[in-house]
């Protein structure tokens, strides 16, 4: 993918306070959602804590006084492995 336009992920959390879990396709290469989420959180000095290292990987982070869980699902194709 080239010229990726990212949505304002954190504004969704602010605008929809009932969101407490995000499901992402797996992988941390530069075209995967988890990679972009990590970059965004790092820019905002938000720590992404590991909960589970086995597949599916589960992380969490604190945002606006609530815990948001992030589940990285197995990639739908074998090409990402």
């Amino acid at each position: 993918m080239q010229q990726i336009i990212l949505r304002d992920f954190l504004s969704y959390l602010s605008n929809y306070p009932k969101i407490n879990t995000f499901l992402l396709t797996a992988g941390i290469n530069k075209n995967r959602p988890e990679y972009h989420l990590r970059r965004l959180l790092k820019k905002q000095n938000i720590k992404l804590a590991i909960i589970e290292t086995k597949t599916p990987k589960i992380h969490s982070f604190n945002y606006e006084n609530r815990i948001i869980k992030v589940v990285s699902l197995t990639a739908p194709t074998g090409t990402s492995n």
Side-chain angles (χ1 to χ4, degrees):
M1 292 188 292
Q2 296 177 354
Q3 299 177 356
I4 297 170
I5 299 172
L6 301 174
R7 294 186 176 135
D8 187 358
F9 177 80
L10 295 178
S11 73
Y12 284 102
L13 294 176
S14 296
N15 292 330
Y16 301 97
K18 291 185 179 182
I19 292 175
N20 60 15
T21 303
F22 276 94
L23 303 176
L24 305 175
T25 54
I28 57 170
N29 68 34
K30 293 184 180 181
N31 288 332
R32 299 283 182 206
E34 185 179 326
Y35 172 82
H36 294 290
L37 174 62
R38 287 176 177 276
R39 285 184 57 207
L40 172 68
L41 295 179
K42 186 175 182 177
K43 283 182 185 178
Q44 300 294 324
N45 293 318
I46 299 172
K47 183 181 177 187
L48 187 63
I50 186 88
I51 296 173
E52 178 61 62
T53 58
K54 296 179 185 177
T55 303
K57 289 190 305 182
I58 302 173
H59 293 83
S60 69
F61 65 93
N62 293 313
Y63 187 72
E64 294 183 346
N65 297 316
R66 64 188 211 253
I67 296 174
I68 307 298
K69 187 164 70 169
V70 179
V71 181
S72 293
L73 302 171
T74 302
T77 67
T79 58
S80 67
N81 294 331

